[in-house]
Amino acid sequence: MIFSSWEYLLFFAIMLILLSTIKIHALKKAVLLIGSYYFYSVWDYRFVLLVLVMTLINHVSAVSIDRSTVEAVRKRWLIFSVIANLTILGFFKYFNFFIDSANGLLDQFGMTFPLLSIVLPVGISFITFEVMSYTIDVYKRDIKPSSIWDFSLLIVFFPHLIAGPILKPRHFLPQMARDIVIKRSNLIEGGQIFIFGLVKKIIIADHMAMFVDPVFASPGEYSPLTVWLAVIAYAVQIYCDFSGYSDMAIGSAKCMGIDIPRNFNMPYLSRSVTEFWRRWHISLSSWLREYLYFSLGGNRKGAIRANINLILVMLLGGLWHGASWNFVLWGLLHGLALVIHKLYFNHVLKKREINHWLYRTAAWALTFVFVCVTWVFFRSQSFEHSWLVLRKMFLIDTGGLMWFYPYLGFVLVLVLAGHMVGVRLKTYPSVNLTTFGGLFILFFVLFALLLLMPTASTPFIYFQF
């Protein structure tokens, strides 16, 4: 049940009707919780039990941490919960990855370990980070343990359940104490945010996949220019796909009067890798900074240790994205780029601020090209496949078919215009539905969605994480 499907729209409409009809707050939360578990069960009902187990482990741990006055006991409960969460994530997501890597070394000795047939639970990476942040926040005494029902809603609240944004307990849980009221103003605002995300997914991301997938499947058959265009198209695809999902999640929650923080802020306008990670997947980058980078010591133990911590965080962030050495290399490259920019900022920009338009343009271009090149490792299935793409991009291997995808030009103009509007608005675009102009724009967008909808919608990219 993906957000861009009629099944989801029907499910969501039923949820809104039930929440607007029921008057008792506790019963509303019960309906929301049951509906969220149903939403997850549609993907694979077998893993509902896994989510329940993770919820119970972390609820018991949080309550035990809060009740104890002995620091050693509190720490033991925290360690237990963290190990339990990472063990579950590690088994489902990384068991075969590490076994396969070990087999590569042991094969020369005639020894191998069998791989298991493991189905990856949808959204397991996001769920793991959220339950860990809950017990860590309770341990740090930033929050008090909530009821198991509110904590369950933090984990399985259906708009963000499958692919985030990653919710912080101290932001979400207080909202559960307020009554869930379906207001007309929230429906209008949330509905428009949802449609905005739907446009990104259907009109942009799904159409970019029609160009990206064939070129990345056989990069050796295409010319260097075509491969470059496909890499740029993928940069647009993954941004519009993931930010579109986040927008639809935020819009769905807003319709119910629940706020989910924005997850993207026009990242391709960034003029440094540091700025890129402040704008891209904000909920993940803030989680890594708050719960991992600071836990490793941050910059409190000197510059060298801070740089090592930064690289370690990005390595683990890359591995979080998937069980592949390509993701590890992608994280390493971003970690090294963050360190280089940090050194440049501390030793150059702090002493002499450069604000010339030519410098700003060059900084933007360098950042964008770096991000696009590293997306090659994110998109490719192996080092060998990444190398084939890079050979084409940097003219080591020339020749091949020239394919100009006309829709890419339309999309680039559309994305550029959207960024120009976004810079001015600094928020989601909206129209006044009480005016003829506003209604005309709304119906025009809906008509465009129906007209340009591909015959087969591609799955959201981040569902595999």
Side-chain angles (χ1 to χ4, degrees):
M1 194 192 306
I2 61 174
F3 285 164
S4 54
S5 68
W6 293 108
E7 291 84 359
Y8 175 75
L9 295 179
L10 176 61
F11 163 79
F12 188 49
I14 293 173
M15 291 298 298
L16 289 177
I17 292 171
L18 290 174
L19 292 173
S20 61
T21 303
I22 298 169
K23 302 304 179 184
I24 302 172
H25 178 54
L27 191 53
K28 289 180 183 179
K29 290 199 293 185
V31 168
L32 190 56
L33 183 61
I34 293 170
S36 295
Y37 272 114
Y38 168 76
F39 177 83
Y40 191 75
S41 71
V42 170
W43 296 99
D44 197 324
Y45 68 90
R46 296 173 298 175
F47 293 118
V48 170
L49 179 60
L50 177 66
V51 177
L52 288 170
V53 169
M54 295 182 72
T55 302
L56 186 61
I57 287 173
N58 287 274
H59 175 71
V60 171
S61 298
V63 171
S64 301
I65 289 170
D66 183 67
R67 287 178 179 175
S68 178
T69 58
V70 180
E71 180 61 23
V73 175
R74 298 178 74 248
K75 186 169 289 188
R76 279 199 294 269
W77 275 107
L78 175 65
I79 293 172
F80 164 73
S81 66
V82 169
I83 291 176
N85 294 323
L86 293 180
T87 299
I88 293 172
L89 177 66
F91 173 76
F92 283 100
K93 193 166 185 175
Y94 303 109
F95 181 85
N96 280 340
F97 168 65
F98 288 119
I99 291 297
D100 188 53
S101 299
N103 285 344
L105 298 174
L106 295 175
D107 187 54
Q108 56 184 321
F109 302 106
M111 297 172 55
T112 56
F113 295 105
L115 300 178
L116 300 181
S117 179
I118 300 175
V119 178
L120 181 66
V122 175
I124 185 65
S125 298
F126 293 90
I127 292 172
T128 301
F129 272 19
E130 281 166 349
V131 294
M132 286 175 63
S133 63
Y134 176 72
T135 52
I136 292 171
D137 282 356
V138 171
Y139 174 78
K140 295 192 298 185
R141 302 195 188 282
D142 289 339
I143 61 172
K144 296 288 290 182
S146 67
S147 70
I148 191 170
W149 311 114
D150 287 357
F151 176 50
S152 297
L153 269 174
L154 167 70
I155 306 307
V156 299
F157 181 49
F158 68 85
H160 84 107
L161 175 58
I162 304 301
I166 301 170
L167 297 184
K168 292 184 177 179
R170 57 180 175 271
H171 174 84
F172 180 82
L173 291 174
Q175 297 187 69
M176 292 299 97
R178 303 196 301 261
D179 192 15
I180 300 172
V181 181
I182 308 300
K183 297 180 181 178
R184 182 175 179 270
S185 58
N186 286 335
L187 288 173
I188 292 175
E189 182 182 357
Q192 292 192 55
I193 295 173
F194 185 91
I195 292 172
F196 182 63
L198 200 59
V199 167
K200 288 182 179 179
K201 170 62 178 171
I202 291 178
I203 294 183
I204 300 178
D206 285 355
H207 281 277
M208 289 300 93
M210 297 179 184
F211 176 51
V212 171
D213 291 348
V215 176
F216 267 85
S218 304
E221 297 179 5
Y222 296 95
S223 67
L225 179 58
T226 302
V227 173
W228 264 106
L229 291 174
V231 171
I232 294 172
Y234 180 69
V236 174
Q237 179 196 354
I238 191 172
Y239 167 63
C240 290
D241 189 282
F242 192 19
S243 69
Y245 176 93
S246 296
D247 294 340
M248 285 185 269
I250 292 167
S252 297
K254 189 65 180 180
C255 287
M256 295 178 281
I258 298 172
D259 291 323
I260 292 179
R262 194 169 180 176
N263 207 22
F264 290 85
N265 184 20
M266 297 177 289
Y268 291 145
L269 294 180
S270 304
R271 294 198 290 267
S272 70
V273 179
T274 301
E275 184 183 358
F276 174 79
W277 279 103
R278 290 175 183 152
R279 293 171 173 264
W280 177 273
H281 203 345
I282 299 169
S283 64
L284 173 64
S285 56
S286 63
W287 196 99
L288 291 173
R289 181 177 63 253
E290 183 174 345
Y291 294 101
L292 189 54
Y293 178 70
F294 290 155
S295 297
L296 291 171
N299 58 2
R300 298 189 303 272
K301 298 182 180 181
I304 295 177
R305 178 65 180 272
N307 292 334
I308 293 173
N309 289 341
L310 199 54
I311 293 174
L312 283 174
V313 166
M314 293 309 298
L315 274 172
L316 293 173
L319 188 60
W320 175 86
H321 279 84
S324 166
W325 289 111
N326 263 31
F327 288 121
V328 175
L329 179 57
W330 173 78
L332 174 62
L333 291 173
H334 274 270
L336 291 172
L338 287 170
V339 169
I340 292 170
H341 177 259
K342 187 177 180 180
L343 293 172
Y344 175 71
F345 178 82
N346 289 335
H347 296 286
V348 177
L349 293 185
K350 272 189 176 181
K351 298 177 181 178
R352 179 172 175 264
E353 185 177 354
I354 307 173
N355 201 32
H356 193 275
W357 70 268
L358 191 59
Y359 173 83
R360 295 198 305 271
T361 303
W364 168 81
L366 182 62
T367 302
F368 182 71
V369 169
F370 171 80
V371 170
C372 285
V373 171
T374 54
W375 280 140
V376 172
F377 297 100
F378 197 95
R379 173 63 175 78
S380 302
Q381 300 300 316
S382 64
F383 284 143
E384 292 76 13
H385 193 268
S386 300
W387 178 238
L388 287 175
V389 177
L390 293 174
R391 283 174 60 90
K392 284 289 185 178
M393 293 174 68
F394 294 101
L395 302 177
I396 299 174
D397 181 9
T398 58
L401 299 174
M402 185 74 71
W403 180 14
F404 289 103
Y405 187 56
Y407 199 85
L408 175 59
F410 163 73
V411 163
L412 291 177
V413 172
L414 187 63
V415 171
L416 178 62
H419 277 64
M420 292 173 65
V421 172
V423 169
R424 289 179 172 272
L425 292 178
K426 299 186 184 301
T427 184
Y428 286 103
S430 61
V431 295
N432 186 350
L433 297 183
T434 62
T435 66
F436 173 78
L439 288 173
F440 175 80
I441 292 174
L442 176 64
F443 284 111
F444 176 80
V445 171
L446 293 176
F447 176 75
L449 283 169
L450 292 173
L451 181 66
L452 297 174
M453 182 181 296
T455 54
S457 180
T458 57
F460 284 96
I461 293 173
Y462 264 70
F463 279 9
Q464 62 183 299
F465 305 132

